[in-house]
């Protein structure tokens, strides 16, 4: 530790990360111990302990990652997990901000790769997460990394190479079509055309693309058709009863789609090394030591090409100015060529205009580059002591971890000149008569460091474990836990802290009747003194009904367990800041209060009131679970029905206080933050799997899914019209206007209600007057449908495996159903000088009034049209073929006299197909790199 502290003083970019795992070994630890090294028993990681799968209670799903990787190679730790763990679809039960633990330490899931993982556990219900206190109140994802086993040294090698193929690009109008429609927009506004017919013809003909540019930012001139990714992993493991070790060394590298200038060097790379060692120091004390280092480097350009592609119109400028089209006698221009530092391919100057002196093309060719650097180091340690000499079944274990990560951008920013050509046709052909230069070429050689960021996490837990089995009839377990962690982050004054005391009491009778109590005393510095501590209790009951005598005649039931869980968890997760319980006053200049004959104008204004009674929000929950196997293990089912409500969410609500608590000028407020809003979620999840052999083929079919409904059960709101109340509506409800088509003409506008969203004209969207007041304004906004920020109401994952001899086929599909979104980005909302996308081809005109799919075009503001309404709403229902893989393992007899023990090859594809009503829209990225399909070839070997 002394060395680490000294190392931190020497360099700010060397992160040291301590994490901790525990490998307990005790013949009496029926529920709390890890599997004895070298055994095949796979226990399930739950809060601060491991249990046998048949004894899991409290709404927990676990996924065996090595078993999945054997038939489905993937690169992100949680990719596709919704097909194996019901209740998870990017969040847990729709709650959002779940806690990720890697070997018990809060970390980002991206810091560990699938090849390093032994198991991922999803802790969903209150009983499963209570011991993690306030910060775990929205669910916990626990990632357990691999450890060494008692065996001879084993080396696993995996190598992959693949390509990313873009699915689609945005489609924007070319220069001539844009000009034509822009003239139409001006005509709609009563203005004369801006572009002549001759100009439009010249841009359409393509005869001189430098004088009449028609720039397609997504063409092969600038982008590759594919880009590559490759990775390699080596795993080394082995050990004996005294010491066991596991090492993972991995590297991956990926290219980029941009294919010109400095962007040709764009690349991201990641190197990682993980080592875990388990030691039995004697019969009573064992410990673990581990370390992880992650090096991530990315090289890119000093511009956002993808965002610029959505805004820069195709005719604005030519990216490159050809020097061979310069007039031979134009000495001034030729001097510019001779003195330029950036002559592209020996024959082009960088193009631009007075308004485009910096542009993505010039910046990529001449603006320099940047490197992103991220470093993370992890060191793991834990100790376990068997205290059976004091009390049989008693043990103590402690875990300590520190994560330290840094990142920064290092860039070279060059200045460059751009040139605007002045064309003529004096000689009967197009030539550049002169050049207008903007800017100067210069390279400072200065290395710029920006966006420096660090994060440090310190975590600790200590616990007494007690496990006792009396004649294998009465099975007792207990834990007393003190745990917590603290995260420090750059530019954040307050650390995020989580500290709690936990208590677990468990009992089962012959693994037939179960009762588990889990509770935590939590603490939060975000609350006022006197309210910073609370106790979160939970209880889970289980009944293995298949062991009852009355079930003995039901041969179809192999095993069936029913469970009931409930509890109340206190959390500060949604308290957005510290000191919200305090009143805030600010001093302002130039305000309304003056003294000393008006020479001083200063006042103290209130920003919020005080609330010394602010307290935790509470997650109140009850759930019912069914877990069983049927028909001689042909069918396995795990399902949970849940109801939970988050009460007392913290808000600052003016509706709860008289109007004089706020003033318009100067802006003042005496309204405090209070516990008021309540939210409810009701739903169910399920996992269903079928295992059957037909002839020589072994089939496995699995389906996992979830449905949940959300409701705002309490809101502080005052609306004149009841249909606008948020209470009783989904938490992620979409609100907006109900459209009634387009205004057909001036008479239609005159007979319509008064429009308060701006002046309208024929071809603009008209809306329903919901309250009949003769005015269209925000009071006419209604509930339109369910959004999807908390996840679609229905989520589904399906996987299929077929094994025949040495061949394995695997397929995985995922689906989302029941949610909607708005077409509200720049690809759909265009007015003024905006770039036009292909959707404007369906614009309203007098000729297309009955078939138009888009409002009229305008060069002015279009606030009336570009508002949330059902006109822009679309369904996000989708089913994705997420993964297909075919694997072949060479017969083992080929390697009997070789150091190679196993060898296999596989081909796979990811993100292959989307079936959806709005497939094109769902596969489209606007302002960012495109979505891709990925095709991969891999080899795995065991030595």
């Amino acid at each position: 530790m002394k060395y680490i502290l000294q190392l931190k003083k020497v360099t700010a970019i060397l992160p040291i990360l301590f994490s901790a795992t525990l490998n307990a070994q005790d013949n009496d630890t029926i529920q709390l111990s890890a599997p004895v090294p070298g055994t095949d028993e796979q226990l399930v990681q739950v809060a601060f302990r491991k249990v046998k799968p048949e004894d899991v209670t409290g709404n927990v799903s676990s996924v065996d990652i090595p078993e999945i990787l054997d038939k489905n190679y993937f690169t992100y730790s949680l990719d596709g997990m919704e097909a194996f763990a019901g209740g998870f679809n990017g969040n847990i039960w729709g709650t959002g901000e779940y806690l990720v633990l890697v070997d018990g330490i809060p970390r980002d899931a991206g810091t560990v790769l699938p090849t390093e993982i032994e198991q991922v556990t999803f802790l969903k219900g209150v009983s499963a997460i209570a011991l993690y206190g306030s910060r775990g109140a929205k669910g916990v994802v626990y990632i357990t990394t691999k450890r060494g086993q008692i065996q001879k040294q084993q080396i696993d090698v995996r190598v992959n190479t693949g390509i990313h193929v873009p699915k689609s690009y945005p489609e924007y109008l070319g220069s001539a079509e844009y000009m034509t429609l822009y003239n139409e927009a001006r005509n709609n506004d009563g203005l004369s055309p801006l572009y002549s017919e001759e100009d439009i013809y010249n841009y359409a003909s393509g005869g001189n693309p430098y004088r009449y540019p028609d720039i397609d930012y997504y063409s092969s001139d600038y982008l590759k058709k594919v880009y590559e990714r490759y990775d390699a992993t080596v795993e080394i493991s082995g050990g004996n009863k005294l010491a066991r070790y596991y090492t993972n060394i991995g590297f991956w590298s990926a290219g980029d789609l941009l294919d010109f200038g400095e962007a040709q060097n764009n690349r991201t790379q990641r190197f990682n090394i993980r080592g875990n060692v388990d030691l039995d120091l004697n019969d009573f004390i064992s410990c673990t030591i581990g370390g992880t280092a992650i090096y991530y480097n990315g090289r890119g350009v000093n511009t956002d090409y993808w965002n610029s592609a959505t805004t820069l119109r195709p005719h604005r400028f030519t990216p490159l100015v050809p020097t061979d089209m310069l007039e031979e006698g134009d000495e001034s221009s030729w001097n510019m060529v001779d003195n330029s530092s950036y002559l592209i391919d020996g024959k082009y100057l960088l193009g631009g205009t007075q308004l485009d002196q910096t542009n993505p093309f010039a910046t990529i060719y001449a603006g320099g580059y940047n490197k992103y650097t991220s470093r993370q180091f992890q060191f793991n340690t834990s100790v376990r002591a068997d205290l059976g000499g004091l009390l049989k079944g008693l043990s103590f274990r402690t875990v300590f971890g520190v994560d330290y990560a840094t990142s920064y951008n290092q860039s070279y920013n060059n200045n460059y000149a751009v040139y605007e050509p002045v064309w003529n046709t004096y000689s009967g052909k197009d030539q550049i008569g002169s050049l207008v230069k903007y800017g100067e070429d210069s390279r400072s050689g200065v290395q710029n460091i920006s966006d420096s960021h660090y994060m440090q996490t310190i975590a600790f837990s200590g616990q007494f474990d007690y496990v006792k089995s009396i004649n294998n009839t009465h099975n007792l377990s207990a834990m007393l836990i003190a745990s917590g962690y603290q995260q420090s982050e750059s530019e954040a004054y307050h650390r995020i802290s989580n500290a709690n005391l936990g208590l677990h009491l468990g009992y089962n009778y012959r693994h037939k009747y179960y009762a588990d109590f889990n509770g935590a005393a939590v603490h939060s510095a975000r609350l006022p003194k006197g309210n910073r501590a609370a106790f979160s209790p939970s209880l889970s009951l289980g009944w293995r009904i298949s062991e009852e005598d009355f079930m003995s005649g039901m041969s179809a039931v192999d095993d069936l367990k029913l469970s009931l869980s409930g509890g109340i968890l206190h959390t500060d997760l949604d308290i957005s800041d510290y000191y919200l319980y305090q009143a805030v006053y600010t001093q302002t200049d130039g305000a309304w209060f003056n003294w000393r004959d008006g020479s001083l104008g200063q006042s103290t204004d209130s920003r919020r009131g005080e609330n010394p009674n602010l307290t935790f929000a509470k997650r109140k929950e009850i759930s019912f679970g069914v877990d069983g196997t049927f028909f001689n293990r042909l069918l396995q089912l795990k399902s949970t029905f849940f109801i939970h409500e988050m009460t007392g969410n913290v808000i600052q609500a003016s509706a709860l206080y008289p109007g004089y608590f706020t003033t318009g000028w100067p802006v003042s407020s005496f309204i405090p933050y209070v516990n008021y809003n309540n939210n409810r979620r009701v739903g169910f999840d399920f996992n269903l799997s079928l295992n059957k052999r037909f002839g020589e083929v072994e089939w496995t079919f699995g389906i996992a899914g979830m449905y949940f409904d959300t409701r705002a059960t309490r809101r502080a709101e005052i609306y004149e019209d009841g249909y606008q109340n948020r209470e009783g509506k989904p938490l992620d409800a979409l609100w907006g206007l109900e459209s009634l088509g387009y205004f057909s003409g001036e008479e239609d506008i005159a007979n319509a209600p008064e429009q308060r969203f701006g002046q309208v004209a024929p071809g603009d969207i008209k809306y329903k007057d919901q309250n009949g007041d003769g005015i269209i304004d925000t009071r006419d906004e209604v509930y339109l449908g369910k959004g999807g920020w908390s996840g679609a109401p229905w989520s589904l994952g399906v996987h299929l495996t077929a094994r025949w001899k040495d061949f394995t086929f695997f397929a995985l599909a995922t689906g989302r159903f029941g949610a909607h979104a708005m077409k509200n980005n720049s690809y759909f909302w265009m007015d003024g000088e905006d770039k036009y996308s292909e959707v404007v081809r369906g614009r309203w005109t007098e000729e297309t009034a009955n078939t138009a799919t888009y409002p009229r075009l305008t060069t002015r503001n279009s606030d009336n049209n570009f508002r949330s309404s059902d006109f822009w709403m679309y369904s996000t229902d989708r089913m994705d073929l997420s993964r297909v893989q075919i694997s072949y393992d060479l017969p083992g007899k080929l390697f009997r006299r070789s150091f190679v023990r196993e060898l296999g090859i596989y081909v796979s594809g990811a993100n292959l197909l989307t079936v959806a009503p709005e497939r094109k829209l769902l596969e489209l990225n606007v302002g960012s790199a495109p979505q891709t399909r990925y095709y991969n070839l891999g080899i795995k070997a065991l030595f």
Side-chain angles (χ1 to χ4, degrees):
M1 187 62 187
K2 179 179 179 182
Y3 168 75
I4 295 171
L5 294 175
Q6 292 174 342
L7 192 60
K8 287 170 63 180
K9 294 179 181 179
V10 173
T11 173
I13 66 170
L14 185 60
I16 301 296
L17 217 115
F18 293 84
S19 68
T21 58
L22 184 53
N23 205 15
Q25 302 169 35
D26 191 323
N27 292 332
D28 289 327
T29 54
I30 295 171
Q31 286 189 306
L32 297 181
S33 68
V36 176
T39 67
D40 294 328
E41 185 177 29
Q42 179 71 46
L43 302 186
V44 177
Q45 177 70 58
V46 294
F48 295 98
R49 61 187 180 127
K50 292 186 177 183
V51 301
K52 293 180 179 179
E54 62 267 25
D55 291 334
V56 173
T57 60
N59 307 314
V60 175
S61 296
S62 64
V63 181
D64 184 344
I65 299 300
E67 191 272 335
I68 296 175
L69 276 176
D70 186 53
K71 57 189 177 183
N72 170 36
Y73 180 68
F74 60 105
T75 57
Y76 173 63
S77 56
L78 301 181
D79 187 20
M81 289 298 102
E82 58 266 47
F84 302 95
F88 178 79
N89 67 345
N91 57 52
I92 294 176
W93 287 355
T95 54
E97 192 179 348
Y98 58 84
L99 174 67
V100 177
L101 300 174
V102 179
D103 291 333
I105 309 301
R107 292 178 180 143
D108 187 275
T111 63
V112 57
L113 298 178
T115 55
E116 304 171 67
I117 299 174
E118 185 66 35
Q119 183 184 86
V120 177
T121 309
F122 299 88
L123 309 176
K124 299 175 288 187
V126 291
S127 183
I129 60 179
L131 295 176
Y132 288 112
S134 174
R135 308 302 292 182
K138 294 187 178 181
V140 176
V141 175
Y142 196 114
I143 298 175
T144 304
T145 61
K146 295 178 180 178
R147 312 206 66 80
Q149 303 294 323
I150 297 176
Q151 61 184 21
K152 293 182 179 180
Q153 180 169 286
Q154 177 175 296
I155 301 176
D156 292 85
V157 178
R158 186 185 292 265
V159 179
N160 294 273
T161 181
I163 56 172
H164 286 272
V165 181
K167 288 186 177 182
S168 67
Y169 291 112
E171 184 178 344
Y172 290 95
L173 304 189
S175 295
E177 189 175 9
Y178 168 80
M179 292 175 173
T180 301
L181 295 189
Y182 187 81
N183 281 346
E184 179 182 310
R186 289 179 60 87
N187 181 64
N188 291 340
D189 299 334
L191 303 174
S192 60
L194 181 64
Y195 304 106
S196 68
E197 292 296 330
E198 182 182 0
D199 285 340
I200 294 174
Y201 171 81
N202 287 329
Y203 277 95
S205 67
N208 183 352
Y210 301 105
R211 183 173 186 177
Y212 306 104
D214 185 10
I215 306 303
D216 179 3
Y217 285 74
Y218 306 99
S219 75
S220 58
D221 295 337
Y222 312 113
L223 302 180
K224 304 172 187 175
K225 292 183 178 179
V226 302
Y227 69 93
E228 80 290 350
R229 184 191 189 278
Y230 55 85
D231 65 72
T233 304
V234 178
E235 299 175 85
I236 307 171
S237 62
N240 53 39
K241 291 184 178 180
L242 296 180
R244 297 156 300 280
Y245 59 90
Y246 170 82
T247 301
N248 183 297
I249 303 172
F251 174 80
W252 67 258
S253 178
D256 189 82
L257 281 172
L258 295 179
D259 195 28
F260 66 97
E262 185 61 47
Q264 293 176 317
N265 299 317
N266 286 2
R267 180 161 293 276
T268 55
Q269 296 177 324
R270 184 186 192 271
F271 172 79
N272 68 275
I273 180 169
R274 176 183 295 275
N276 291 330
V277 177
D278 298 84
L279 301 171
D280 292 339
L281 301 180
N282 53 43
D283 293 337
F284 308 101
I285 300 176
S286 61
C287 68
T288 67
I289 303 171
T292 302
I294 302 171
Y295 300 85
Y296 182 93
N297 297 309
R299 176 166 176 150
V301 292
N302 294 328
T303 188
D304 187 345
Y305 180 86
W306 302 108
N307 186 62
S308 298
T310 68
T311 58
L312 290 175
R313 288 166 288 170
H315 68 290
R316 284 287 293 267
F317 60 91
T318 178
L320 298 175
V321 178
T323 57
D324 59 2
M325 299 187 76
L326 282 170
E327 284 190 30
E328 294 183 4
D330 184 5
E331 294 184 5
S332 174
S333 295
W334 282 107
N335 285 334
M336 292 182 189
V337 174
D338 294 337
N339 293 322
S340 174
S341 300
Y342 303 105
L343 194 61
I344 309 304
D345 296 335
K347 56 181 180 179
Y348 296 105
L349 292 172
L350 299 175
T353 67
Q354 187 175 11
L355 298 178
D356 302 292
Q357 296 183 33
T358 59
N359 61 74
F361 297 104
T363 301
I364 289 175
Y365 277 116
Y369 63 91
N370 68 77
K371 293 181 178 180
Y372 172 76
T373 301
S374 172
R375 298 290 183 261
Q376 299 181 49
F377 290 83
Q378 306 173 357
F379 178 77
N380 309 332
T381 181
S382 69
V383 177
R384 178 182 182 274
D386 186 346
L387 304 179
L390 299 176
L391 178 64
K392 186 173 178 60
L394 182 66
S395 63
F396 174 78
R397 51 183 171 177
T398 183
V399 175
F400 179 70
V402 174
D403 290 11
Y404 190 78
T406 63
S407 63
Y408 59 91
N409 276 318
Q410 171 188 330
S411 64
Y412 293 91
N413 302 319
N414 300 329
N415 296 319
Y416 54 82
V418 296
Y419 301 86
E420 183 176 8
V422 179
W423 295 88
N424 65 58
T425 52
Y426 297 150
S427 60
K429 64 177 182 179
D430 288 344
Q431 62 180 3
I432 300 172
S434 63
L435 292 172
V436 180
K437 179 180 178 181
Y438 302 102
E440 297 292 337
D441 295 333
S442 65
R443 299 184 183 183
S444 67
V446 175
Q447 184 182 84
N448 303 286
I449 304 297
S450 62
D451 300 323
S452 296
H453 179 267
Y454 78 86
M455 176 177 284
Q456 183 185 60
T457 302
I458 301 174
F460 171 83
S461 69
Q463 65 189 83
F464 286 97
D465 299 337
Y466 176 74
V467 176
K468 185 67 175 179
S469 179
I470 303 174
N471 299 324
N472 202 31
T473 299
H474 303 283
N475 302 296
L476 307 173
S477 63
M479 293 189 297
L480 181 62
I481 308 160
S483 66
Y485 68 88
Q486 191 173 79
Q487 289 182 329
S488 304
E489 189 173 4
S490 54
E491 300 182 3
Y493 176 76
H494 272 285
R495 299 180 176 95
I496 296 176
S497 300
N498 182 60
N500 44 274
L501 295 173
L503 175 65
H504 161 77
L505 299 173
Y507 170 80
N508 78 69
Y509 174 77
R510 294 185 180 274
H511 303 279
K512 180 177 179 181
Y513 305 113
Y514 296 84
D516 284 342
F517 173 85
N518 293 311
V522 300
H523 178 273
S524 175
R526 295 175 184 250
L527 295 169
K529 292 181 179 179
N531 288 351
R532 292 179 176 174
F535 185 71
S536 298
S538 69
L539 180 65
S540 182
L541 302 175
W543 178 22
R544 180 160 278 109
I545 191 173
S546 57
E547 295 297 311
E548 297 293 350
D549 293 339
F550 60 80
M551 294 287 291
S552 59
M554 297 185 181
S555 59
V557 179
D558 306 321
D559 182 70
L560 181 60
K561 184 173 66 176
L562 308 179
S563 61
L564 180 68
S565 299
I568 301 175
L569 303 187
H570 295 74
T571 178
D572 65 353
L573 274 177
D574 292 324
I575 301 177
S576 60
D577 206 348
Y578 294 85
Y579 308 116
L580 294 185
Y581 53 87
Q582 289 185 348
V584 172
Y585 294 88
T586 61
Q587 196 172 58
T588 59
D589 294 325
W592 54 275
F593 187 82
N594 294 288
W595 65 94
R596 196 194 289 179
D597 298 327
S599 61
L600 294 178
Q602 199 171 70
S603 68
T604 299
D605 297 336
S606 174
R607 288 294 178 260
R608 69 168 179 256
E610 183 181 35
N611 180 13
N613 298 316
L614 196 68
T615 187
F616 292 94
K618 300 178 182 65
R619 173 176 171 175
K620 302 175 180 179
E621 179 179 290
I622 187 168
S623 61
F624 175 75
V626 178
D627 189 357
T629 59
F630 309 90
F631 306 106
N632 196 25
R633 303 190 69 82
L634 170 67
L635 175 67
Q636 294 181 329
L637 172 67
K638 187 179 183 69
S639 182
T640 302
F641 172 78
F642 59 87
I643 302 174
H644 80 246
E645 189 161 7
M646 292 290 292
T647 64
N649 290 301
V650 174
I651 61 168
Q652 190 179 25
S654 59
L656 298 177
Y657 297 90
Y660 53 77
F661 270 51
T662 59
T663 61
W665 191 89
V667 178
S668 296
S669 174
F670 292 91
I671 297 175
Y673 279 88
V674 295
N675 299 97
Y676 195 85
N677 281 4
N678 296 343
N679 302 326
R680 177 179 296 162
R681 291 173 174 84
V682 179
F684 64 90
D685 65 34
F686 63 92
N687 278 66
L688 181 68
S689 64
L690 291 166
N691 301 278
K692 183 66 175 179
R693 184 182 184 92
F694 294 98
E696 295 184 341
V697 182
E698 295 180 11
W699 295 87
T700 299
F701 174 78
I703 181 170
M706 174 176 59
Y707 171 79
F708 68 95
D709 179 64
T710 65
R711 282 292 179 269
T713 54
R714 187 185 184 192
R715 286 294 183 270
E717 54 190 358
I718 300 177
Y719 290 103
E720 293 186 35
D721 304 296
Y723 57 79
Q724 291 195 315
N725 288 336
R726 271 54 177 171
E727 188 172 306
K729 301 297 191 300
L731 299 179
D732 49 5
L734 294 177
W735 293 84
L737 300 166
E738 183 180 347
S739 62
L740 299 174
Y742 308 100
F743 287 110
S744 60
E746 295 297 339
E747 183 178 354
D748 191 13
I749 295 174
N751 294 330
E754 179 185 350
Q755 308 294 311
R756 290 287 179 87
F757 297 128
Q759 186 175 358
V760 296
D764 285 333
I765 302 173
K766 61 180 177 180
Y767 303 107
K768 182 177 179 180
D769 184 5
Q770 300 289 345
N771 55 8
D773 64 354
I775 298 172
I776 299 297
D777 57 15
T778 56
R779 290 179 58 187
D780 295 302
E781 293 178 347
V782 296
Y783 169 67
L784 298 177
K786 182 174 173 54
W789 64 261
S790 62
W794 278 102
S795 59
L796 195 68
V798 180
H799 61 92
L800 174 69
T801 304
R803 296 184 186 273
W804 177 72
K805 296 183 178 181
D806 296 318
F807 288 92
T808 302
F809 171 82
F810 176 85
L812 183 149
T814 57
R816 301 280 190 276
F817 309 96
H820 300 82
M822 289 284 179
K823 302 175 185 178
N824 55 8
N825 58 36
S826 63
Y827 196 73
F828 297 96
W829 287 5
M830 293 162 285
D831 58 12
E833 305 297 308
D834 293 340
K835 189 173 185 177
Y836 286 178
S837 73
E838 48 87 21
V839 300
V840 303
R841 290 172 178 155
R843 72 207 177 279
W844 184 96
T845 64
E846 291 183 357
E847 294 75 18
T848 65
N850 296 324
T851 60
T853 58
Y854 194 83
R856 72 180 179 99
L857 300 180
T858 178
T859 61
R860 294 170 178 162
N861 184 286
S862 190
D863 280 348
N864 177 81
N865 296 331
F866 300 152
R867 311 192 67 81
S868 291
S869 73
D870 57 0
F871 183 91
W872 303 107
M873 193 166 70
Y874 66 96
S875 168
T876 58
D877 290 355
R878 64 188 300 165
M879 195 72 189
D880 297 293
L881 181 58
S882 303
R883 190 88 53 178
V884 172
Q885 180 169 312
I886 299 174
S887 308
Y888 176 68
D889 296 322
L890 276 69
K893 62 183 180 181
L894 298 177
F895 312 111
R896 288 176 181 173
R897 298 184 180 181
S898 170
F899 65 93
V900 179
R901 295 167 58 185
E902 296 177 11
L903 182 64
I905 187 171
Y906 52 91
V907 291
S908 62
N911 305 319
L912 296 175
L913 175 67
T914 297
V915 179
E918 297 283 354
R919 179 186 61 82
K920 291 184 178 180
L921 179 55
L922 294 175
E923 290 185 340
L924 182 66
N925 283 2
V926 178
S928 61
Q931 301 176 40
T932 61
R933 295 180 177 90
Y934 181 63
Y935 302 95
N936 181 69
L937 171 66
I939 298 175
K940 59 180 181 179
L942 177 64
F943 303 95

